[in-house]
Amino acid sequence: MAMDAQRAEQSSSTVAVSNSPIKCVIATSNGLVSSHQDGKIRVWHPARRNGGCDHLALRAVLPTAADCLRTFLFPGSYVEVRRHRKRTWVHHVDAVTALALSPDGAEMYSVSWDRSLKVWRLPSLRCAQSIAAAHDDAINAVAVSADGHVFTGSADGTVKAWRRRPGQRKLALVGTMERHKAAVNALALGVGGTVLYSGACDRSVVVWEYRAGGGVAAAAATLRGHTKAVLCLAAAGDVVCSGSADRTVRVWRRGAAEASYACLAVLDGHAGAVKSLALVRKSGGDHDDAPCDGCCSAAHVCSGSLDCDVKIWRVTVSCL
């Protein structure tokens, strides 16, 4: 395996500004959606300026005023969020930690430290469902499979699977997966959506073999090597990357056997905890190298850290 690091050209462009720390950003068909420490979700669309689209304009803050109004007048719309404190069910009352889109882009899912899972309809931005106590502790991660299963990972140490049962419009709990011994921080789907990865404060990545329509996944392997909490994951094909508070990124490859994984590389270069990852694979080598006739693939790993750096790594993965 060959590996080298590339530093991107130093440049910056601020396209959107908010007054609350950002916890998560996802791209939609017509802009960005960001989740925030203040419990709000902000929707951004391109805004034209000087003949071009070089920044984003705030389109809406969720829950919208219309959502708030339709629930405000009805006593049954209120849920207890803390002792002696109630809010309408469309509100998150703590940091919104993660967002995910449905495969068809018609729905968005949000999870929060307030332990709730919410479903938002797109493009109307209406809150369609809220599960107030989806977990026993803060929810840190959410992932959506191609067949519509929604997976949530929590500080209670569990991963839960949610799905609409036949003939129903609401998500329902279909399984609880327990293997971690500490808070679950990250989730990612790989291998064509048939494998779920979860990373936790117990320094491990658990591999869950998931089958479409199954709901509950079985733990097939546990990947160990990090010396501190696993904070983020990214997967593409048979490769999964894990970022940790130990300041490293580990690149893992699935073997021919389902439960067989090998650590291909340890990317060491950050001076702070690695908090976010993105992974892109390209078959047939890389433009910077000689053609390999399909015998290898180039993976580009983008890692963001609390040291305020973003690093781009290029990894060449040989055939099995």
Side-chain angles (χ1 to χ4, degrees):
M1 184 206 70
M3 177 186 68
D4 61 74
Q6 297 177 331
R7 183 171 291 275
E9 179 184 355
Q10 293 186 355
S11 62
S12 65
S13 176
T14 301
V15 296
V17 177
S18 74
N19 57 4
S20 178
I22 297 172
K23 304 294 291 184
C24 175
V25 175
I26 60 171
T28 64
S29 59
N30 55 358
L32 296 176
V33 180
S34 56
S35 68
H36 297 258
Q37 186 79 33
D38 63 5
K40 297 294 196 308
I41 300 169
R42 291 169 171 83
V43 182
W44 309 87
H45 283 184
R48 296 194 173 275
R49 184 173 63 183
N50 299 328
C53 286
D54 54 1
H55 75 291
L56 299 173
L58 182 62
R59 181 200 166 187
V61 178
L62 306 186
T64 62
D67 254 353
C68 294
L69 183 60
R70 73 182 175 92
T71 57
F72 174 76
L73 299 175
F74 300 98
S77 296
Y78 288 79
V79 295
E80 187 171 1
V81 295
R82 292 187 182 89
R83 189 176 182 183
H84 306 307
R85 183 185 176 189
K86 291 186 176 183
R87 291 292 299 275
T88 59
W89 61 269
V90 296
H91 287 88
H92 279 300
V93 294
D94 209 333
V96 182
T97 50
L99 303 167
L101 290 175
S102 63
D104 60 4
E107 290 183 333
M108 180 176 68
Y109 306 91
S110 62
V111 293
S112 168
W113 286 345
D114 66 11
R115 303 182 298 150
S116 71
L117 163 65
K118 295 188 189 298
V119 183
W120 308 85
R121 289 183 185 147
L122 301 179
S124 68
L125 305 178
R126 180 171 179 172
C127 188
Q129 183 182 2
S130 177
I131 303 173
H135 282 267
D136 294 331
D137 207 337
I139 307 177
N140 298 319
V142 61
V144 185
S145 68
D147 70 341
H149 275 90
V150 179
F151 297 97
T152 53
S154 168
D156 65 13
T158 68
V159 177
K160 291 188 176 183
W162 310 82
R163 183 176 172 82
R164 290 181 177 86
R165 300 185 187 278
Q168 295 185 353
R169 300 177 59 185
K170 302 291 187 179
L171 288 177
L173 180 66
V174 295
T176 300
M177 293 110 79
E178 300 181 76
R179 181 72 172 259
H180 287 290
K181 293 181 170 62
V184 177
N185 298 317
L187 298 173
L189 284 159
V191 196
T194 63
V195 175
L196 177 72
Y197 302 97
S198 58
C201 286
D202 60 10
R203 302 172 294 175
S204 72
V205 177
V206 173
V207 181
W208 306 89
E209 294 292 336
Y210 162 74
R211 294 290 179 264
V216 180
T222 301
L223 310 182
R224 303 188 186 277
H226 285 293
T227 59
K228 292 185 179 180
V230 177
L231 303 177
C232 53
L233 295 169
D238 58 358
V239 173
V240 59
C241 297
S242 54
S244 170
D246 65 12
R247 306 178 182 181
T248 69
V249 177
R250 286 181 175 258
V251 182
W252 311 84
R253 177 95 181 274
R254 178 185 169 96
E258 287 187 352
S260 172
Y261 278 81
C263 182
L264 301 182
V266 179
L267 310 181
D268 187 0
H270 280 293
V274 179
K275 287 284 292 178
S276 60
L277 286 171
L279 171 64
V280 178
R281 291 195 64 185
K282 178 182 176 183
S283 61
D286 190 273
H287 291 300
D288 297 333
D289 302 304
C292 61
D293 297 325
C295 292
C296 63
S297 63
H300 286 85
V301 182
C302 182
S303 57
S305 166
L306 293 183
D307 63 8
C308 302
D309 283 349
V310 174
K311 294 183 183 292
I312 301 175
W313 314 79
R314 188 187 62 202
V315 181
T316 302
V317 183
S318 300
C319 284
L320 294 173

